[in-house]
């Protein structure tokens, strides 16, 4: 298992994110993923810089770690032809360290273009078309495409990397596995679902990576960690089916107004101890995941986490 670090665009500005990327590499993380949001989930998080601009800087500031979007929606804010161009460029800038992580999106980020928010079956149709467009552009040459949701007129990627960009797709159930496994190189999921991993491996036996994510809130003061996790990550309790539909931070605040600090602490490791984090990551390992990216909650609380990760957490995780 590779252990990654999450560049959370919702909780830090662009300059800080680049510094976090450098620090995470020095601390010994194997890869780094970046969220691609137009808005934070909650106003308390306070940030949402452009992920692709940050990635360009991170690609130049780091040397070893793999990079990945976790995840980009290539259907509304971005046309898939533009996403293909962005991904190819970051692959070149990073010397072939980049993976394109894609998903069907969240209302929170995609409604800003004024096109409304389609039902999930339509979003899946859109993502399927987007995957085809991106794959065909990665093949090289000019592309003309006329689908139900997208058109492409004589598009070509003029700067293609020698190593094709791997593509991962976020899935949450059997339907999305059946739709996307045949055209993806790896699976992305946020719950340690063994059945989902098994279904993916049956549908895509050559897709060798399955990447999950675990939020943590490290702090030497456990009470402070619980308070911060509740303030900034109580949205996490809503689940994907709810979270993908809510339109903005105010809606998330209303939907989570009855979530208590102890509710958050029950699902997110909080405090100074290594074992709860190792246990949380182990549930993904046991379910069949090959990689897990950690989220340290709190944009202003990364420095102590990097020291903790290098000296205590990463050695414990690798021993497990």
């Amino acid at each position: 298992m590779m252990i990654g670090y999450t560049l959370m665009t919702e909780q830090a500005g662009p300059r800080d994110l680049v510094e976090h990327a450098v620090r995470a590499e020095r601390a010994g993380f194997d890869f780094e993923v970046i969220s691609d949001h137009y808005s934070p989930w909650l106003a308390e998080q306070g940030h949402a810089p452009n992920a692709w601009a940050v990635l360009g800087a991170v690609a130049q500031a780091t040397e070893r770690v793999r990079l990945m979007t976790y995840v980009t929606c290539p259907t509304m804010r971005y046309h898939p032809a533009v996403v293909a161009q962005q991904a190819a460029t970051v692959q070149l800038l990073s010397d072939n360290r980049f993976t394109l992580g894609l998903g069907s999106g969240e209302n929170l980020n995609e409604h800003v273009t004024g096109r409304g928010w389609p039902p999930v079956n339509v979003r899946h149709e859109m993502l399927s078309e987007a995957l085809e467009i991106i794959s065909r552009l990665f093949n090289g040459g000019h592309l003309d495409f006329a689908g139900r949701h997208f058109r492409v007129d004589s598009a070509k990627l003029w700067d293609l990397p020698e190593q094709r960009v791997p593509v991962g797709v976020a899935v949450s159930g059997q339907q999305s596995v059946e739709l996307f496994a045949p055209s993806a190189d790896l699976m992305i999921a946020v719950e340690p679902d063994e059945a989902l991993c098994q279904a993916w491996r049956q549908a895509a036996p050559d897709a060798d990576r399955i990447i999950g994510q675990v939020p943590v809130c490290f702090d030497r003061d456990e009470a402070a960690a619980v308070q911060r996790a509740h303030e900034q990550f109580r949205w996490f309790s809503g689940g994907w089916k709810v979270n993908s539909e809510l339109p903005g931070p105010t809606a998330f605040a209303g939907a989570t107004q009855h979530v208590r600090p102890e509710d958050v602490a029950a699902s997110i490791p909080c405090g100074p101890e290594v074992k709860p984090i190792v246990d949380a990551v182990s549930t993904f390992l046991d379910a069949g995941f090959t990689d897990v990216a950690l989220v340290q909650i709190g944009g202003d609380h990364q420095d102590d986490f990097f020291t903790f990760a290098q000296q205590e957490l990463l050695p414990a995780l690798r021993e497990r």
Side-chain angles (χ1 to χ4, degrees):
M1 174 174 278
M2 292 199 300
I3 304 300
Y5 171 80
T6 302
L7 299 165
M8 284 287 289
T9 60
E10 302 85 348
Q11 67 177 15
R15 290 182 179 273
D16 286 338
L17 288 167
V18 175
E19 178 61 25
H20 296 165
V22 173
R23 291 287 306 279
E25 182 176 61
R26 290 175 183 167
F29 284 95
D30 301 307
F31 67 101
E32 299 177 6
V33 304
I34 187 168
S35 55
D36 189 349
H37 271 226
Y38 198 89
S39 303
W41 285 288
L42 295 165
E44 290 89 340
Q45 292 176 309
H47 294 276
N50 182 273
W52 289 93
V54 173
L55 268 175
V58 168
Q60 295 295 287
T62 57
E63 298 176 355
R64 172 188 55 81
V65 287
R66 300 188 188 188
L67 304 174
M68 179 180 180
T69 49
Y70 200 100
V71 292
T72 288
C73 175
T75 62
M76 297 183 72
R77 266 187 307 148
Y78 310 114
H79 189 282
V82 175
V83 173
Q85 183 190 38
Q86 291 170 318
T89 300
V90 173
Q91 182 77 314
L92 288 166
L93 287 171
S94 65
D95 291 329
N96 301 315
R97 291 183 285 132
F98 180 64
T99 295
L100 176 61
L102 300 175
S104 57
E106 299 168 83
N107 193 9
L108 171 69
N109 304 302
E110 307 308 320
H111 78 273
V112 297
T113 59
R115 295 177 56 189
W117 185 235
V120 65
N121 62 309
V122 175
R123 302 198 303 263
H124 282 171
E125 289 177 2
M126 296 172 73
L127 181 55
S128 294
E129 280 192 19
L131 280 165
E132 181 178 353
I133 291 167
I134 291 168
S135 178
R136 290 174 64 178
L137 285 169
F138 285 168
N139 290 338
H142 287 85
L143 174 63
D144 293 293
F145 181 91
R148 181 175 179 180
H149 301 284
F150 298 106
R151 297 185 66 89
V152 178
D153 180 17
S154 190
K156 176 183 175 179
L157 299 181
W158 289 89
D159 289 278
L160 269 176
E162 292 184 5
Q163 183 173 316
R164 187 186 181 93
V165 179
V167 176
V169 179
V171 297
S172 58
Q174 186 65 35
Q175 180 188 32
S176 51
V177 168
E178 292 175 357
L179 280 172
F180 304 126
S183 54
D185 300 300
L186 54 100
M187 173 182 130
I188 299 164
V190 295
E191 295 182 2
D193 188 333
E194 183 177 0
L196 196 65
C197 293
Q198 291 175 347
W200 180 271
R201 287 195 165 97
Q202 290 175 358
D206 295 329
D208 58 344
R209 296 179 68 197
I210 298 179
I211 302 179
Q213 190 176 55
V214 173
V216 304
C217 195
F218 167 78
D219 198 296
R220 295 298 177 187
D221 184 337
E222 183 175 349
V226 172
Q227 180 180 358
R228 187 167 74 248
H230 177 260
E231 177 188 71
Q232 296 197 21
F233 242 72
R234 63 187 183 275
W235 62 270
F236 191 69
S237 64
W240 175 248
K241 290 185 178 180
V242 173
N243 291 344
S244 63
E245 303 296 333
L246 297 178
T250 301
F252 276 92
T256 59
Q257 61 183 316
H258 299 300
V259 177
R260 303 168 301 173
E262 54 264 38
D263 299 327
V264 175
S267 60
I268 296 175
C270 296
E273 300 299 325
V274 169
K275 186 178 184 304
I277 302 175
V278 173
D279 290 345
V281 173
S282 294
T283 62
F284 283 81
L285 175 65
D286 295 339
F289 284 71
T290 63
D291 306 86
V292 169
L294 301 179
V295 181
Q296 162 64 356
I297 298 171
D300 297 331
H301 295 268
Q302 304 299 304
D303 287 347
D304 289 343
F305 174 72
F306 290 133
T307 301
F308 166 70
Q310 183 173 14
Q311 296 179 356
E312 302 178 53
L313 179 57
L314 290 174
L317 287 170
R318 292 192 172 113
E319 182 179 355
R320 166 65 179 86

